[in-house]
Amino acid sequence: MMSWYKEIEFANPAFLWLLIVIPLMIGWYIWRNQRLQGTLGISSLNGFLKAKKSSYSWLRHLGIALRSFALFAMIVALARPQSALSWEDSTTEGIDIIIATDISGSMLAEDLKPNRLEAGKNIAIDFIKDRPNDRIGLVVFSGESFTQCPLTIDHDVLVNLFKGISNGMIEDGTAIGMGLATAVNRLKDSEAKSKVVILLTDGSNTSGSIPPATAAEIAKQMKVRVYTVGVGTKGYAPYPVKTPYGIQYQQVPVTIDEGVLSNIAKITGGKYFRATNNEKLKQIYQQIDQLEKAKIAVTQYHKKTERFLPLVLMALALLLVEFLIRNTLLKGALT
């Protein structure tokens, strides 16, 4: 029976104030019982010492105990206990996202800290952690491209693979079209309501067999929206160069082809962003996060079941037992 009263709510909780009557009733019973006790003055108690006390003397108080429990059950029943069961159905319109990131040598420039590649990795990982319900994958490109991680909901694996990418994994260069085409190819079998590619690069298309515009048209046909991000400050950026005397820095020009990146975004219905520092890149990911929010339809259900009947039956049973005992077995003993 106790399982019935888990997560109980009361429809009329004000009736619970009537529970104060129970200690008052018990107090009145004790006071009345003391008043009914007579007194007898005798010279000695020796005559009563040999008399055995009845082990059933306590039964005369059974009536008040039964009535108290019955009143308790009746008052709680009046408060109408109800078991409240609630649940909800959630329907998520899933979003599949491929992050395509440039890992060419120019991504080692340190206009972003510690460099463009590491800054892009760290901020993208935060983006991934903030979207636990989306399938996300990772494509890397330089002179060619490959899939580092296919679409997955296991973001721990994705983050570990993301941390492991570095310059030099593949032939150097900047194959933007190839990177985008590989990312779009990863989304071709997706049945998600929204398919997105985040393409991050710091240069212009210098290699690869697929022009960026062609890859963008393919993305459009497959209903893939592309957000392009150009990473790099304006003008020149410090670039580390190994020399016999250790690492030295040279100022190299920033050569982001913003026209191509803007055109990719325009063709696919996405947006182009320019990240000139870490904070700007973080803000860009936050904007994309807001633009690509999953739609969740939630239907809440509430079911309440009345639980007062067992209490009423318990109260009636206690009163019946008290009545029977008082008028049969211990007639005259209960006061």
Side-chain angles (χ1 to χ4, degrees), residues 99-125 138-142 161-170 172 200-202 231-232 238-240 278 281 285:
I99 299 175
T101 186
D102 189 344
I103 60 170
S104 61
S106 58
M107 288 290 287
L108 299 178
E110 296 183 10
D111 43 353
L112 276 71
K113 302 300 179 184
N115 58 46
R116 294 172 183 172
L117 180 58
E118 291 301 317
K121 286 165 56 176
N122 294 336
I123 295 170
I125 287 171
L138 173 62
V139 166
V140 295
F141 65 92
S142 186
L161 289 171
F162 215 127
K163 290 178 179 178
I165 65 174
S166 61
N167 170 251
M169 294 175 65
I170 49 180
D172 204 15
L200 185 145
T201 183
D202 68 341
V231 182
Y239 184 83
N278 291 54
L281 181 58
Y285 269 105

mmCIF file of all heavy atoms in Angstrom, residues 99-125 138-142 161-170 172 200-202 231-232 238-240 278 281 285:
data_model
loop_
_atom_site.group_PDB
_atom_site.id
_atom_site.type_symbol
_atom_site.label_atom_id
_atom_site.label_comp_id
_atom_site.label_asym_id
_atom_site.label_seq_id
_atom_site.Cartn_x
_atom_site.Cartn_y
_atom_site.Cartn_z
ATOM 1 N N ILE A 99 31.719 20.238 -39.359
ATOM 2 C CA ILE A 99 32.695 21.328 -39.233
ATOM 3 C C ILE A 99 33.872 20.988 -40.150
ATOM 4 O O ILE A 99 34.532 19.957 -39.966
ATOM 5 C CB ILE A 99 33.174 21.484 -37.786
ATOM 6 C CG1 ILE A 99 31.994 21.829 -36.876
ATOM 7 C CG2 ILE A 99 34.244 22.570 -37.687
ATOM 8 C CD1 ILE A 99 32.344 21.889 -35.400
ATOM 9 N N ALA A 100 34.093 21.812 -41.160
ATOM 10 C CA ALA A 100 35.197 21.612 -42.100
ATOM 11 C C ALA A 100 36.256 22.665 -41.790
ATOM 12 O O ALA A 100 36.025 23.874 -41.980
ATOM 13 C CB ALA A 100 34.711 21.751 -43.544
ATOM 14 N N THR A 101 37.405 22.226 -41.289
ATOM 15 C CA THR A 101 38.421 23.185 -40.850
ATOM 16 C C THR A 101 39.727 23.042 -41.640
ATOM 17 O O THR A 101 40.176 21.936 -41.939
ATOM 18 C CB THR A 101 38.686 23.033 -39.340
ATOM 19 O OG1 THR A 101 39.565 24.061 -38.887
ATOM 20 C CG2 THR A 101 39.264 21.666 -39.004
ATOM 21 N N ASP A 102 40.278 24.168 -41.961
ATOM 22 C CA ASP A 102 41.548 24.274 -42.693
ATOM 23 C C ASP A 102 42.692 23.944 -41.728
ATOM 24 O O ASP A 102 42.754 24.477 -40.620
ATOM 25 C CB ASP A 102 41.677 25.709 -43.219
ATOM 26 C CG ASP A 102 42.835 25.888 -44.175
ATOM 27 O OD1 ASP A 102 43.719 25.022 -44.224
ATOM 28 O OD2 ASP A 102 42.865 26.935 -44.865
ATOM 29 N N ILE A 103 43.611 23.047 -42.128
ATOM 30 C CA ILE A 103 44.775 22.740 -41.285
ATOM 31 C C ILE A 103 46.073 23.006 -42.056
ATOM 32 O O ILE A 103 47.119 22.417 -41.762
ATOM 33 C CB ILE A 103 44.740 21.285 -40.783
ATOM 34 C CG1 ILE A 103 44.738 20.295 -41.945
ATOM 35 C CG2 ILE A 103 43.542 21.045 -39.874
ATOM 36 C CD1 ILE A 103 44.958 18.840 -41.499
ATOM 37 N N SER A 104 46.011 23.907 -43.023
ATOM 38 C CA SER A 104 47.201 24.228 -43.824
ATOM 39 C C SER A 104 48.232 24.954 -42.962
ATOM 40 O O SER A 104 47.964 25.408 -41.854
ATOM 41 C CB SER A 104 46.808 25.084 -45.028
ATOM 42 O OG SER A 104 46.226 26.304 -44.594
ATOM 43 N N GLY A 105 49.439 25.090 -43.514
ATOM 44 C CA GLY A 105 50.534 25.703 -42.766
ATOM 45 C C GLY A 105 50.244 27.120 -42.319
ATOM 46 O O GLY A 105 50.689 27.554 -41.240
ATOM 47 N N SER A 106 49.467 27.871 -43.109
ATOM 48 C CA SER A 106 49.177 29.254 -42.743
ATOM 49 C C SER A 106 48.328 29.359 -41.479
ATOM 50 O O SER A 106 48.277 30.411 -40.845
ATOM 51 C CB SER A 106 48.470 29.969 -43.903
ATOM 52 O OG SER A 106 47.280 29.292 -44.244
ATOM 53 N N MET A 107 47.670 28.239 -41.086
ATOM 54 C CA MET A 107 46.860 28.251 -39.871
ATOM 55 C C MET A 107 47.718 28.294 -38.613
ATOM 56 O O MET A 107 47.199 28.405 -37.495
ATOM 57 C CB MET A 107 45.951 27.018 -39.847
ATOM 58 C CG MET A 107 44.809 27.068 -40.849
ATOM 59 S SD MET A 107 43.539 28.286 -40.425
ATOM 60 C CE MET A 107 42.728 27.480 -39.045
ATOM 61 N N LEU A 108 49.034 28.242 -38.765
ATOM 62 C CA LEU A 108 49.932 28.361 -37.619
ATOM 63 C C LEU A 108 50.269 29.817 -37.303
ATOM 64 O O LEU A 108 50.976 30.087 -36.326
ATOM 65 C CB LEU A 108 51.233 27.581 -37.879
ATOM 66 C CG LEU A 108 51.071 26.072 -38.103
ATOM 67 C CD1 LEU A 108 52.417 25.429 -38.400
ATOM 68 C CD2 LEU A 108 50.427 25.419 -36.886
ATOM 69 N N ALA A 109 49.777 30.746 -38.124
ATOM 70 C CA ALA A 109 49.992 32.167 -37.848
ATOM 71 C C ALA A 109 49.395 32.520 -36.486
ATOM 72 O O ALA A 109 48.361 31.980 -36.085
ATOM 73 C CB ALA A 109 49.382 33.023 -38.950
ATOM 74 N N GLU A 110 50.032 33.441 -35.778
ATOM 75 C CA GLU A 110 49.666 33.693 -34.394
ATOM 76 C C GLU A 110 48.963 35.027 -34.180
ATOM 77 O O GLU A 110 49.111 35.661 -33.132
ATOM 78 C CB GLU A 110 50.908 33.580 -33.509
ATOM 79 C CG GLU A 110 51.500 32.178 -33.514
ATOM 80 C CD GLU A 110 52.689 32.008 -32.600
ATOM 81 O OE1 GLU A 110 52.948 32.935 -31.792
ATOM 82 O OE2 GLU A 110 53.368 30.955 -32.671
ATOM 83 N N ASP A 111 48.172 35.467 -35.173
ATOM 84 C CA ASP A 111 47.346 36.643 -34.925
ATOM 85 C C ASP A 111 46.173 36.276 -34.012
ATOM 86 O O ASP A 111 45.619 37.119 -33.320
ATOM 87 C CB ASP A 111 46.854 37.268 -36.236
ATOM 88 C CG ASP A 111 46.374 36.232 -37.239
ATOM 89 O OD1 ASP A 111 46.540 35.023 -36.993
ATOM 90 O OD2 ASP A 111 45.829 36.640 -38.281
ATOM 91 N N LEU A 112 45.776 35.001 -33.997
ATOM 92 C CA LEU A 112 44.894 34.465 -32.974
ATOM 93 C C LEU A 112 45.755 33.637 -32.026
ATOM 94 O O LEU A 112 46.780 33.083 -32.438
ATOM 95 C CB LEU A 112 43.789 33.599 -33.574
ATOM 96 C CG LEU A 112 42.536 34.350 -34.089
ATOM 97 C CD1 LEU A 112 42.850 35.133 -35.365
ATOM 98 C CD2 LEU A 112 41.391 33.373 -34.342
ATOM 99 N N LYS A 113 45.386 33.528 -30.780
ATOM 100 C CA LYS A 113 46.229 32.887 -29.787
ATOM 101 C C LYS A 113 45.677 31.521 -29.384
ATOM 102 O O LYS A 113 44.476 31.385 -29.189
ATOM 103 C CB LYS A 113 46.366 33.792 -28.551
ATOM 104 C CG LYS A 113 46.950 35.163 -28.873
ATOM 105 C CD LYS A 113 48.345 35.034 -29.482
ATOM 106 C CE LYS A 113 48.914 36.405 -29.829
ATOM 107 N NZ LYS A 113 50.227 36.293 -30.504
ATOM 108 N N PRO A 114 46.541 30.517 -29.225
ATOM 109 C CA PRO A 114 47.987 30.544 -29.470
ATOM 110 C C PRO A 114 48.343 30.598 -30.954
ATOM 111 O O PRO A 114 49.404 31.071 -31.326
ATOM 112 C CB PRO A 114 48.466 29.252 -28.821
ATOM 113 C CG PRO A 114 47.290 28.328 -28.902
ATOM 114 C CD PRO A 114 46.087 29.209 -28.714
ATOM 115 N N ASN A 115 47.470 30.079 -31.806
ATOM 116 C CA ASN A 115 47.558 30.286 -33.248
ATOM 117 C C ASN A 115 46.174 30.036 -33.831
ATOM 118 O O ASN A 115 45.236 29.648 -33.119
ATOM 119 C CB ASN A 115 48.637 29.385 -33.897
ATOM 120 C CG ASN A 115 48.405 27.898 -33.648
ATOM 121 O OD1 ASN A 115 47.291 27.408 -33.785
ATOM 122 N ND2 ASN A 115 49.476 27.191 -33.268
ATOM 123 N N ARG A 116 46.015 30.264 -35.117
ATOM 124 C CA ARG A 116 44.686 30.155 -35.739
ATOM 125 C C ARG A 116 44.101 28.756 -35.574
ATOM 126 O O ARG A 116 42.917 28.599 -35.258
ATOM 127 C CB ARG A 116 44.778 30.496 -37.231
ATOM 128 C CG ARG A 116 45.158 31.940 -37.522
ATOM 129 C CD ARG A 116 45.423 32.123 -39.012
ATOM 130 N NE ARG A 116 45.869 33.487 -39.311
ATOM 131 C CZ ARG A 116 46.320 33.868 -40.506
ATOM 132 N NH1 ARG A 116 46.371 32.988 -41.508
ATOM 133 N NH2 ARG A 116 46.705 35.116 -40.700
ATOM 134 N N LEU A 117 44.929 27.735 -35.788
ATOM 135 C CA LEU A 117 44.434 26.366 -35.731
ATOM 136 C C LEU A 117 43.957 25.995 -34.334
ATOM 137 O O LEU A 117 42.853 25.478 -34.157
ATOM 138 C CB LEU A 117 45.534 25.392 -36.192
ATOM 139 C CG LEU A 117 45.164 23.904 -36.191
ATOM 140 C CD1 LEU A 117 43.949 23.642 -37.069
ATOM 141 C CD2 LEU A 117 46.365 23.064 -36.656
ATOM 142 N N GLU A 118 44.787 26.278 -33.323
ATOM 143 C CA GLU A 118 44.425 25.904 -31.959
ATOM 144 C C GLU A 118 43.245 26.731 -31.450
ATOM 145 O O GLU A 118 42.375 26.212 -30.733
ATOM 146 C CB GLU A 118 45.632 26.084 -31.031
ATOM 147 C CG GLU A 118 46.763 25.092 -31.268
ATOM 148 C CD GLU A 118 46.301 23.646 -31.095
ATOM 149 O OE1 GLU A 118 45.553 23.363 -30.135
ATOM 150 O OE2 GLU A 118 46.687 22.804 -31.927
ATOM 151 N N ALA A 119 43.207 28.014 -31.820
ATOM 152 C CA ALA A 119 42.073 28.845 -31.414
ATOM 153 C C ALA A 119 40.779 28.307 -32.025
ATOM 154 O O ALA A 119 39.740 28.212 -31.349
ATOM 155 C CB ALA A 119 42.304 30.295 -31.839
ATOM 156 N N GLY A 120 40.851 27.929 -33.305
ATOM 157 C CA GLY A 120 39.674 27.374 -33.976
ATOM 158 C C GLY A 120 39.230 26.072 -33.340
ATOM 159 O O GLY A 120 38.028 25.830 -33.159
ATOM 160 N N LYS A 121 40.183 25.218 -32.955
ATOM 161 C CA LYS A 121 39.855 23.953 -32.311
ATOM 162 C C LYS A 121 39.174 24.175 -30.965
ATOM 163 O O LYS A 121 38.123 23.582 -30.676
ATOM 164 C CB LYS A 121 41.127 23.116 -32.117
ATOM 165 C CG LYS A 121 41.662 22.495 -33.384
ATOM 166 C CD LYS A 121 43.096 21.980 -33.220
ATOM 167 C CE LYS A 121 43.249 20.998 -32.093
ATOM 168 N NZ LYS A 121 44.624 20.451 -32.018
ATOM 169 N N ASN A 122 39.766 25.014 -30.142
ATOM 170 C CA ASN A 122 39.233 25.224 -28.788
ATOM 171 C C ASN A 122 37.820 25.797 -28.806
ATOM 172 O O ASN A 122 36.943 25.358 -28.049
ATOM 173 C CB ASN A 122 40.163 26.161 -28.000
ATOM 174 C CG ASN A 122 41.526 25.542 -27.747
ATOM 175 O OD1 ASN A 122 41.669 24.320 -27.741
ATOM 176 N ND2 ASN A 122 42.538 26.379 -27.545
ATOM 177 N N ILE A 123 37.591 26.765 -29.678
ATOM 178 C CA ILE A 123 36.274 27.410 -29.721
ATOM 179 C C ILE A 123 35.247 26.472 -30.353
ATOM 180 O O ILE A 123 34.090 26.423 -29.921
ATOM 181 C CB ILE A 123 36.365 28.759 -30.462
ATOM 182 C CG1 ILE A 123 37.263 29.717 -29.669
ATOM 183 C CG2 ILE A 123 34.978 29.362 -30.661
ATOM 184 C CD1 ILE A 123 37.620 30.989 -30.392
ATOM 185 N N ALA A 124 35.660 25.699 -31.353
ATOM 186 C CA ALA A 124 34.741 24.725 -31.963
ATOM 187 C C ALA A 124 34.358 23.641 -30.968
ATOM 188 O O ALA A 124 33.208 23.176 -30.943
ATOM 189 C CB ALA A 124 35.387 24.102 -33.198
ATOM 190 N N ILE A 125 35.287 23.225 -30.114
ATOM 191 C CA ILE A 125 34.991 22.206 -29.103
ATOM 192 C C ILE A 125 33.946 22.719 -28.114
ATOM 193 O O ILE A 125 33.033 21.996 -27.712
ATOM 194 C CB ILE A 125 36.288 21.775 -28.378
ATOM 195 C CG1 ILE A 125 37.134 20.905 -29.319
ATOM 196 C CG2 ILE A 125 35.979 21.033 -27.086
ATOM 197 C CD1 ILE A 125 38.526 20.615 -28.796
ATOM 198 N N LEU A 138 33.378 15.928 -38.408
ATOM 199 C CA LEU A 138 34.554 16.773 -38.632
ATOM 200 C C LEU A 138 35.270 16.370 -39.915
ATOM 201 O O LEU A 138 35.578 15.200 -40.132
ATOM 202 C CB LEU A 138 35.517 16.647 -37.447
ATOM 203 C CG LEU A 138 36.870 17.343 -37.586
ATOM 204 C CD1 LEU A 138 36.703 18.856 -37.730
ATOM 205 C CD2 LEU A 138 37.747 17.017 -36.375
ATOM 206 N N VAL A 139 35.487 17.379 -40.763
ATOM 207 C CA VAL A 139 36.278 17.213 -41.989
ATOM 208 C C VAL A 139 37.461 18.164 -41.906
ATOM 209 O O VAL A 139 37.310 19.319 -41.487
ATOM 210 C CB VAL A 139 35.432 17.514 -43.246
ATOM 211 C CG1 VAL A 139 36.325 17.682 -44.484
ATOM 212 C CG2 VAL A 139 34.411 16.415 -43.484
ATOM 213 N N VAL A 140 38.643 17.696 -42.276
ATOM 214 C CA VAL A 140 39.826 18.558 -42.318
ATOM 215 C C VAL A 140 40.324 18.630 -43.760
ATOM 216 O O VAL A 140 40.184 17.677 -44.529
ATOM 217 C CB VAL A 140 40.944 18.055 -41.384
ATOM 218 C CG1 VAL A 140 40.497 18.128 -39.923
ATOM 219 C CG2 VAL A 140 41.366 16.644 -41.728
ATOM 220 N N PHE A 141 40.875 19.773 -44.102
ATOM 221 C CA PHE A 141 41.406 19.919 -45.460
ATOM 222 C C PHE A 141 42.633 20.815 -45.446
ATOM 223 O O PHE A 141 42.811 21.664 -44.578
ATOM 224 C CB PHE A 141 40.350 20.471 -46.420
ATOM 225 C CG PHE A 141 39.891 21.879 -46.129
ATOM 226 C CD1 PHE A 141 40.494 22.980 -46.719
ATOM 227 C CD2 PHE A 141 38.833 22.105 -45.247
ATOM 228 C CE1 PHE A 141 40.068 24.272 -46.463
ATOM 229 C CE2 PHE A 141 38.396 23.392 -44.976
ATOM 230 C CZ PHE A 141 39.012 24.482 -45.590
ATOM 231 N N SER A 142 43.458 20.566 -46.415
ATOM 232 C CA SER A 142 44.653 21.377 -46.669
ATOM 233 C C SER A 142 44.847 21.339 -48.173
ATOM 234 O O SER A 142 44.027 21.893 -48.899
ATOM 235 C CB SER A 142 45.850 20.799 -45.905
ATOM 236 O OG SER A 142 46.968 21.648 -46.033
ATOM 237 N N LEU A 161 38.926 13.406 -31.172
ATOM 238 C CA LEU A 161 39.457 13.442 -32.545
ATOM 239 C C LEU A 161 39.776 14.863 -32.970
ATOM 240 O O LEU A 161 40.756 15.113 -33.692
ATOM 241 C CB LEU A 161 38.453 12.799 -33.500
ATOM 242 C CG LEU A 161 38.295 11.281 -33.380
ATOM 243 C CD1 LEU A 161 37.127 10.790 -34.218
ATOM 244 C CD2 LEU A 161 39.587 10.581 -33.807
ATOM 245 N N PHE A 162 38.955 15.815 -32.526
ATOM 246 C CA PHE A 162 39.188 17.221 -32.859
ATOM 247 C C PHE A 162 40.502 17.702 -32.242
ATOM 248 O O PHE A 162 41.299 18.398 -32.879
ATOM 249 C CB PHE A 162 38.027 18.068 -32.337
ATOM 250 C CG PHE A 162 37.687 19.246 -33.225
ATOM 251 C CD1 PHE A 162 36.390 19.448 -33.671
ATOM 252 C CD2 PHE A 162 38.659 20.155 -33.607
ATOM 253 C CE1 PHE A 162 36.069 20.525 -34.484
ATOM 254 C CE2 PHE A 162 38.352 21.240 -34.420
ATOM 255 C CZ PHE A 162 37.062 21.419 -34.854
ATOM 256 N N LYS A 163 40.734 17.300 -30.995
ATOM 257 C CA LYS A 163 41.978 17.708 -30.322
ATOM 258 C C LYS A 163 43.208 17.150 -31.023
ATOM 259 O O LYS A 163 44.296 17.729 -30.942
ATOM 260 C CB LYS A 163 41.955 17.236 -28.866
ATOM 261 C CG LYS A 163 40.957 17.973 -27.980
ATOM 262 C CD LYS A 163 40.964 17.409 -26.557
ATOM 263 C CE LYS A 163 39.991 18.162 -25.666
ATOM 264 N NZ LYS A 163 39.950 17.603 -24.281
ATOM 265 N N GLY A 164 43.019 16.021 -31.717
ATOM 266 C CA GLY A 164 44.162 15.367 -32.337
ATOM 267 C C GLY A 164 44.577 15.911 -33.689
ATOM 268 O O GLY A 164 45.629 15.529 -34.212
ATOM 269 N N ILE A 165 43.788 16.811 -34.284
ATOM 270 C CA ILE A 165 44.167 17.313 -35.613
ATOM 271 C C ILE A 165 45.319 18.305 -35.503
ATOM 272 O O ILE A 165 45.451 19.035 -34.523
ATOM 273 C CB ILE A 165 42.969 17.953 -36.352
ATOM 274 C CG1 ILE A 165 42.475 19.211 -35.637
ATOM 275 C CG2 ILE A 165 41.847 16.960 -36.519
ATOM 276 C CD1 ILE A 165 41.399 19.965 -36.402
ATOM 277 N N SER A 166 46.156 18.308 -36.513
ATOM 278 C CA SER A 166 47.327 19.209 -36.515
ATOM 279 C C SER A 166 47.783 19.447 -37.945
ATOM 280 O O SER A 166 47.438 18.694 -38.865
ATOM 281 C CB SER A 166 48.471 18.604 -35.694
ATOM 282 O OG SER A 166 48.877 17.358 -36.254
ATOM 283 N N ASN A 167 48.563 20.472 -38.107
ATOM 284 C CA ASN A 167 49.137 20.759 -39.418
ATOM 285 C C ASN A 167 50.123 19.658 -39.791
ATOM 286 O O ASN A 167 50.836 19.128 -38.940
ATOM 287 C CB ASN A 167 49.852 22.116 -39.388
ATOM 288 C CG ASN A 167 50.668 22.365 -40.637
ATOM 289 O OD1 ASN A 167 51.896 22.342 -40.610
ATOM 290 N ND2 ASN A 167 49.986 22.578 -41.755
ATOM 291 N N GLY A 168 50.158 19.293 -41.069
ATOM 292 C CA GLY A 168 51.081 18.265 -41.528
ATOM 293 C C GLY A 168 50.453 16.897 -41.653
ATOM 294 O O GLY A 168 51.112 15.945 -42.108
ATOM 295 N N MET A 169 49.177 16.760 -41.262
ATOM 296 C CA MET A 169 48.509 15.464 -41.386
ATOM 297 C C MET A 169 48.334 15.078 -42.846
ATOM 298 O O MET A 169 48.344 13.893 -43.195
ATOM 299 C CB MET A 169 47.138 15.506 -40.689
ATOM 300 C CG MET A 169 47.199 15.686 -39.181
ATOM 301 S SD MET A 169 45.547 15.888 -38.438
ATOM 302 C CE MET A 169 44.812 14.290 -38.770
ATOM 303 N N ILE A 170 48.164 16.083 -43.705
ATOM 304 C CA ILE A 170 48.001 15.846 -45.139
ATOM 305 C C ILE A 170 48.814 16.874 -45.908
ATOM 306 O O ILE A 170 49.340 17.831 -45.335
ATOM 307 C CB ILE A 170 46.505 15.927 -45.559
ATOM 308 C CG1 ILE A 170 45.855 17.199 -44.996
ATOM 309 C CG2 ILE A 170 45.742 14.708 -45.121
ATOM 310 C CD1 ILE A 170 44.386 17.345 -45.356
ATOM 311 N N ASP A 172 50.215 19.929 -47.861
ATOM 312 C CA ASP A 172 49.902 21.340 -47.621
ATOM 313 C C ASP A 172 49.252 21.968 -48.848
ATOM 314 O O ASP A 172 49.378 21.495 -49.970
ATOM 315 C CB ASP A 172 51.168 22.113 -47.244
ATOM 316 C CG ASP A 172 50.849 23.371 -46.449
ATOM 317 O OD1 ASP A 172 49.701 23.479 -45.964
ATOM 318 O OD2 ASP A 172 51.735 24.232 -46.314
ATOM 319 N N LEU A 200 35.739 26.692 -42.161
ATOM 320 C CA LEU A 200 36.685 27.656 -41.589
ATOM 321 C C LEU A 200 38.011 27.567 -42.328
ATOM 322 O O LEU A 200 38.593 26.491 -42.453
ATOM 323 C CB LEU A 200 36.877 27.347 -40.102
ATOM 324 C CG LEU A 200 37.730 28.318 -39.294
ATOM 325 C CD1 LEU A 200 37.177 28.440 -37.864
ATOM 326 C CD2 LEU A 200 39.185 27.842 -39.214
ATOM 327 N N THR A 201 38.466 28.714 -42.848
ATOM 328 C CA THR A 201 39.741 28.764 -43.568
ATOM 329 C C THR A 201 40.377 30.135 -43.402
ATOM 330 O O THR A 201 39.708 31.112 -43.036
ATOM 331 C CB THR A 201 39.543 28.458 -45.064
ATOM 332 O OG1 THR A 201 40.814 28.453 -45.725
ATOM 333 C CG2 THR A 201 38.649 29.493 -45.718
ATOM 334 N N ASP A 202 41.695 30.199 -43.708
ATOM 335 C CA ASP A 202 42.399 31.483 -43.585
ATOM 336 C C ASP A 202 43.051 31.892 -44.903
ATOM 337 O O ASP A 202 43.922 32.762 -44.930
ATOM 338 C CB ASP A 202 43.471 31.398 -42.496
ATOM 339 C CG ASP A 202 44.622 30.475 -42.884
ATOM 340 O OD1 ASP A 202 44.438 29.637 -43.806
ATOM 341 O OD2 ASP A 202 45.687 30.565 -42.265
ATOM 342 N N VAL A 231 39.398 33.304 -41.182
ATOM 343 C CA VAL A 231 40.164 33.496 -39.941
ATOM 344 C C VAL A 231 41.452 34.247 -40.245
ATOM 345 O O VAL A 231 42.270 33.807 -41.055
ATOM 346 C CB VAL A 231 40.500 32.135 -39.297
ATOM 347 C CG1 VAL A 231 41.247 32.355 -37.985
ATOM 348 C CG2 VAL A 231 39.241 31.336 -39.052
ATOM 349 N N GLY A 232 41.649 35.366 -39.598
ATOM 350 C CA GLY A 232 42.891 36.128 -39.777
ATOM 351 C C GLY A 232 42.664 37.618 -39.609
ATOM 352 O O GLY A 232 41.599 38.135 -39.948
ATOM 353 N N PRO A 238 51.811 37.594 -37.659
ATOM 354 C CA PRO A 238 53.095 36.974 -37.293
ATOM 355 C C PRO A 238 53.065 35.470 -37.546
ATOM 356 O O PRO A 238 52.148 34.774 -37.111
ATOM 357 C CB PRO A 238 53.215 37.283 -35.798
ATOM 358 C CG PRO A 238 51.805 37.472 -35.323
ATOM 359 C CD PRO A 238 51.053 38.048 -36.481
ATOM 360 N N TYR A 239 54.101 34.992 -38.246
ATOM 361 C CA TYR A 239 54.147 33.571 -38.594
ATOM 362 C C TYR A 239 55.474 32.992 -38.121
ATOM 363 O O TYR A 239 56.552 33.540 -38.425
ATOM 364 C CB TYR A 239 54.006 33.395 -40.107
ATOM 365 C CG TYR A 239 53.945 31.951 -40.544
ATOM 366 C CD1 TYR A 239 52.740 31.258 -40.504
ATOM 367 C CD2 TYR A 239 55.090 31.278 -40.970
ATOM 368 C CE1 TYR A 239 52.670 29.918 -40.894
ATOM 369 C CE2 TYR A 239 55.030 29.946 -41.366
ATOM 370 C CZ TYR A 239 53.814 29.274 -41.320
ATOM 371 O OH TYR A 239 53.756 27.956 -41.696
ATOM 372 N N PRO A 240 55.436 31.879 -37.355
ATOM 373 C CA PRO A 240 56.682 31.294 -36.828
ATOM 374 C C PRO A 240 57.462 30.559 -37.917
ATOM 375 O O PRO A 240 56.895 29.743 -38.651
ATOM 376 C CB PRO A 240 56.177 30.325 -35.756
ATOM 377 C CG PRO A 240 54.797 29.934 -36.211
ATOM 378 C CD PRO A 240 54.238 31.139 -36.907
ATOM 379 N N ASN A 278 40.404 36.025 -31.303
ATOM 380 C CA ASN A 278 39.745 34.915 -30.606
ATOM 381 C C ASN A 278 38.314 35.245 -30.207
ATOM 382 O O ASN A 278 37.400 34.437 -30.375
ATOM 383 C CB ASN A 278 40.536 34.536 -29.347
ATOM 384 C CG ASN A 278 41.867 33.898 -29.673
ATOM 385 O OD1 ASN A 278 42.664 34.450 -30.417
ATOM 386 N ND2 ASN A 278 42.124 32.721 -29.103
ATOM 387 N N LEU A 281 35.966 35.204 -33.140
ATOM 388 C CA LEU A 281 35.667 33.837 -33.576
ATOM 389 C C LEU A 281 34.662 33.187 -32.630
ATOM 390 O O LEU A 281 33.741 32.495 -33.065
ATOM 391 C CB LEU A 281 36.954 33.011 -33.638
ATOM 392 C CG LEU A 281 36.809 31.559 -34.110
ATOM 393 C CD1 LEU A 281 36.191 31.499 -35.496
ATOM 394 C CD2 LEU A 281 38.170 30.854 -34.097
ATOM 395 N N TYR A 285 30.794 31.675 -33.591
ATOM 396 C CA TYR A 285 30.217 30.378 -33.245
ATOM 397 C C TYR A 285 28.935 30.546 -32.426
ATOM 398 O O TYR A 285 27.986 29.766 -32.569
ATOM 399 C CB TYR A 285 31.227 29.523 -32.481
ATOM 400 C CG TYR A 285 32.074 28.649 -33.383
ATOM 401 C CD1 TYR A 285 33.402 28.962 -33.658
ATOM 402 C CD2 TYR A 285 31.539 27.505 -33.969
ATOM 403 C CE1 TYR A 285 34.180 28.163 -34.483
ATOM 404 C CE2 TYR A 285 32.307 26.698 -34.793
ATOM 405 C CZ TYR A 285 33.623 27.032 -35.050
ATOM 406 O OH TYR A 285 34.369 26.234 -35.885
#
